[in-house]
Amino acid sequence: IAGITQAPTSQILAAGRRMTLRCTQDMRHNAMYWYRQDLGLGLRLIHYSNTAGTTGKGEVPDGYSVSRANTDDFPLTLASAVPSQTSVYFCASSDSMGGGTDEQFFGPGTRLTVL
Amino acid sequence: GQNIDQPTEMTATEGAIVQINCTYQTSGFNGLFWYQQHAGEAPTFLSYNVLDGLEEKGRFSSFLSRSKGYSYLLLKELQMKDSASYLCAVSDSNYQLIWGAGTKLIIKP
């Protein structure tokens, strides 16, 4: 693994189904983030984690949950998918959250379609 | 509310110079970022400004005026590979990034 990976690359999901998007980084970054990107809108933060064992809500957390059991993994779960969750989802990581440049590194994204 | 504004689309000619503007209104300010995003790909970091002034990095430069809530990204000697979306983002008082919708830059030969 080099950098940050996401799985699956794309998914078509029936409404009401549960889905977990996976994210793994090998840079030993403390902070990790989940964003969604919709046409005509900026990236919007769903959830974040400052360090393993802690998580926080971003701008659009409703309908999503996350966990951070270890440094490397930060899965995003949709408990019961709805069509409005159709989007491109990006996972990102940074050395820390705040206190400097803290450039965020992004995974390749997951394109999710909820029908 | 928090708001980041940037033009939706710009067109420029190969070899020329283009300036992409970004204005912001946020709760707190801990720096401004510019990212590049090619179609279908992930954003990649270009620059970070936290103090007023110009930061130069090769063909790309970024300027910040905190008093005006304004930044620009200057791209010189444009190449076809510079065709991409350019995203402006501000780190707010909670160190969360607030993102603009992005400026799609089209480079013509």
Side-chain angles (χ1 to χ4, degrees), chain B residues 24-97:
Chain B
Y24 62 89
Q25 289 179 307
T26 57
S27 58
F29 180 84
N30 284 301
L32 186 143
F33 295 79
W34 284 97
Y35 280 76
Q36 181 189 61
Q37 185 177 25
H38 285 100
E41 298 183 6
T44 55
F45 172 81
L46 287 176
S47 68
Y48 171 76
N49 295 68
V50 67
L51 300 176
D52 289 351
L54 187 69
E55 294 277 347
E56 297 185 79
K57 190 185 293 185
R59 293 189 299 114
F60 292 6
S61 303
S62 55
F63 172 83
L64 174 67
S65 169
R66 289 172 298 171
S67 63
K68 296 182 179 178
Y70 168 71
S71 172
Y72 67 74
L73 181 69
L74 191 71
L75 290 74
K76 304 176 184 176
E77 301 170 14
L78 286 170
Q79 302 174 10
M80 297 304 294
K81 68 178 181 180
D82 297 329
S83 292
S85 289
Y86 292 86
L87 314 180
C88 174
V90 172
S91 178
D92 71 6
S93 56
N94 295 315
Y95 295 99
Q96 294 183 14
L97 291 188

Side-chain angles (χ1 to χ4, degrees), chain A residues 13-14 19-20 22-23 27 29 35 38 40-41 51 60 66 69 92-94 98-99 103-104 108-109:
Chain A
L13 190 66
M19 175 74 190
T20 294
R22 301 185 298 280
C23 175
M27 296 175 283
H29 283 168
Y35 293 95
D38 302 291
L41 299 178
T51 188
V60 289
V66 291
S93 70
S94 66
E103 169 192 351
Q104 292 188 14

Side-chain angles (χ1 to χ4, degrees), chain A residues 65-105:
Chain A
S65 64
V66 291
S67 62
R68 187 87 185 276
N70 57 61
T71 298
D72 299 344
D73 301 301
F74 191 44
L76 176 74
T77 297
L78 289 69
S80 179
V82 295
S84 62
Q85 292 178 312
T86 293
S87 187
V88 179
Y89 291 85
F90 286 103
C91 180
S93 70
S94 66
D95 187 46
S96 65
M97 189 170 178
T101 57
D102 292 320
E103 169 192 351
Q104 292 188 14
F105 295 82

Side-chain angles (χ1 to χ4, degrees), chain A residues 11-86:
Chain A
Q11 182 76 45
I12 298 174
L13 190 66
R17 296 298 295 270
R18 180 183 179 90
M19 175 74 190
T20 294
L21 307 184
R22 301 185 298 280
C23 175
T24 300
Q25 54 105 357
D26 67 354
M27 296 175 283
R28 307 304 294 172
H29 283 168
N30 289 306
M32 297 188 75
Y33 315 85
W34 274 106
Y35 293 95
R36 60 178 291 172
Q37 187 174 41
D38 302 291
L39 196 63
L41 299 178
L43 288 159
R44 291 183 290 170
L45 183 64
I46 304 170
H47 286 286
Y48 65 91
S49 169
N50 283 324
T51 188
T54 68
T55 62
K57 294 181 179 179
E59 181 185 355
V60 289
D62 294 344
Y64 305 95
S65 64
V66 291
S67 62
R68 187 87 185 276
N70 57 61
T71 298
D72 299 344
D73 301 301
F74 191 44
L76 176 74
T77 297
L78 289 69
S80 179
V82 295
S84 62
Q85 292 178 312
T86 293

